Amino acid sequence: MRSLTFVIGTGRSGSTALSRILNAHPEVLSLNEYMASVGDAAFPEGKVSGAEFWQTLFRPAPHFERMIRSGLPLPEFLYTRRPGRYSAETTGIPALSLMVLPHLTDDPDGLLDELTAAVPGWPERTAAEHHRALFDLLRGRFGRSAVVERSGYSTGWAPGLREAFPEARFVHLYRDGPDCALSMSRHPGYRTITLLREIKEHAGIDSFADLTPEHVRSLPADLAPLLDDRFEPALVRDRDLSLRRFGALWSELVTDGTEFLAALPAGRRTTLAYEDLLDKPAEELTRLAEFIGVAPEQQWLNTGSALLDHSRRGSARSLRPAQLAELTESCTPGTRALEGRPLR
């Protein structure tokens, strides 16, 4: 593999557009929401067979399946827009099929079949070695030289990714705090994340692996159903959630990402501000391409610039002054973290 890069960040920061831009480059294999799709389950300890590894990629993600069955699919779920042979109601949608494969091809079921024929026969090795082999297979399949994985809400995976892939480079993508936090507050995924964090706070646990039936019985009636196989979408859509909570979440994620990046060797890290990308697309995309290890071709720069949405800038200014002040205050820790460690 010539180069492997992970784009980490809060999400709601132009990251989906960045995946589309990267996918338009003829030398980049853009793995869209790969980590969000397969998660920690795809990194078991020790050595595993190809068949065991494949199951971690094929097995549907339970939390995403619940959201689809409950009528609350995320806009990032590409497979549900053009359904194929898999369904959350019957077969379950394979983890790779939901967001990763439809980003690469108009025939995700066909590509999944190709992988199903190859991966289970691989020899026993570590999960990281299996992932590298999969990246190489896809890179060769699409004739690309560089691999870039990008998932939203991904700063928590960064330390584990560095351990698994010590050769990897990292890009910390971020957006203006109040604008990003406001976008989070309107997104069903981040609203669900906030409510699940509230469940853990109520139960006094750090991980859902520690959740007991007694914990569930003690939860408020508007939270407990979110753990069911199917729930009423209004529980997520209509609940009154303070903007301050999303500002605090943005601050937490941005601080984690900034601290992670600061610990990396200079040649393996860079930052990318969404606002800089809007203001100077050719300059920033050129810098990103060179960091990834591909040429900033002019046609790609033109395509990438056209894919950027300038209408999202300054969205928080639509709030009432008191709301904006409260949201800005809750974003202050993250803003200070960014100002304190400008890494290029």
Side-chain angles (χ1 to χ4, degrees):
M1 187 183 302
R2 282 177 53 184
S3 73
L4 172 62
T5 304
F6 292 96
V7 179
I8 62 168
T10 63
R12 311 311 298 160
S13 54
S15 52
T16 300
L18 183 61
S19 276
R20 288 196 290 268
I21 291 169
L22 290 167
N23 199 38
H25 195 291
E27 290 297 318
V28 174
L29 176 74
S30 172
L31 295 178
N32 174 63
E33 304 282 9
Y34 181 83
M35 282 304 303
S37 299
V38 305
D40 295 331
F43 287 84
E45 294 184 4
K47 293 185 176 182
V48 294
S49 68
E52 291 170 324
F53 173 69
W54 179 242
Q55 280 305 306
T56 69
L57 308 181
F58 187 87
R59 189 183 303 120
H63 50 297
F64 289 151
E65 294 281 290
R66 283 198 299 272
M67 296 189 77
I68 295 170
R69 284 194 296 266
S70 301
L72 203 68
L74 302 186
E76 292 84 357
F77 292 170
L78 301 178
Y79 192 87
T80 55
R81 298 184 196 174
R82 296 178 58 187
R85 77 170 77 113
Y86 298 98
S87 165
E89 295 288 351
T90 54
T91 59
I93 299 173
L96 277 187
S97 296
L98 194 56
M99 297 180 282
V100 180
L101 301 187
H103 180 71
L104 296 173
T105 175
D106 290 333
D107 182 18
D109 287 349
L111 181 53
L112 187 74
D113 289 344
E114 292 179 36
L115 297 176
T116 302
V119 178
W122 286 352
E124 187 176 75
R125 51 190 164 188
T126 66
E129 290 170 327
H130 277 301
H131 285 288
R132 283 193 189 90
L134 179 67
F135 298 165
D136 273 338
L137 188 157
L138 290 170
R139 185 180 55 78
R141 165 69 168 74
F142 289 96
R144 309 298 173 99
S145 61
V147 178
V148 183
E149 193 280 338
R150 192 285 314 168
S151 292
Y153 194 66
S154 52
T155 56
W157 282 305
L161 292 172
R162 184 188 180 190
E163 182 177 352
F165 308 104
E167 76 281 10
R169 305 168 191 178
F170 288 85
V171 179
H172 183 207
L173 174 66
Y174 58 87
R175 179 185 178 192
D176 172 77
D179 284 356
C180 189
L182 180 60
S183 181
M184 287 177 174
S185 76
R186 296 168 174 172
H187 187 277
Y190 286 86
R191 293 180 67 83
T192 301
I193 287 168
T194 299
L195 293 172
L196 292 177
R197 286 162 67 100
E198 187 174 334
I199 287 175
K200 290 197 287 189
E201 290 169 9
H202 270 281
I205 59 174
D206 294 323
S207 168
F208 278 105
D210 300 323
L211 192 70
T212 67
E214 289 74 23
H215 287 140
V216 176
R217 284 193 289 270
S218 71
L219 292 173
D222 56 354
L223 285 178
L226 296 177
L227 301 173
D228 293 341
D229 190 57
R230 191 187 301 265
F231 58 85
E232 177 57 47
L235 290 173
V236 173
R237 283 200 303 251
D238 299 343
R239 188 179 176 94
D240 185 20
L241 295 173
S242 167
L243 286 176
R244 177 177 289 276
R245 299 183 68 171
F246 294 97
L249 176 60
W250 177 84
S251 282
E252 176 186 325
L253 297 175
V254 162
T255 300
D256 287 347
T258 303
E259 291 177 349
F260 169 78
L261 218 67
L264 294 177
R268 298 200 178 276
R269 69 189 187 197
T270 193
T271 59
L272 182 60
Y274 178 61
E275 288 73 23
D276 289 345
L277 194 55
L278 294 179
D279 290 339
K280 304 172 290 183
E283 179 181 331
E284 290 298 284
L285 290 176
T286 294
R287 187 174 62 83
L288 179 62
E290 292 172 347
F291 178 77
I292 292 168
V294 296
E297 301 181 5
Q298 187 60 52
Q299 184 176 347
W300 174 69
L301 294 176
N302 295 340
T303 300
S305 298
L307 287 171
L308 292 169
D309 179 6
H310 292 257
S311 68
R312 299 174 64 192
R313 185 204 295 268
S315 56
R317 291 198 293 269
S318 64
L319 296 170
R320 296 193 301 273
Q323 286 181 304
L324 179 57
E326 181 181 38
L327 182 56
T328 301
E329 181 186 356
S330 64
C331 290
T332 297
T335 301
R336 286 177 176 165
L338 291 173
E339 292 172 346
R341 294 195 179 98
L343 297 169
R344 282 287 187 169

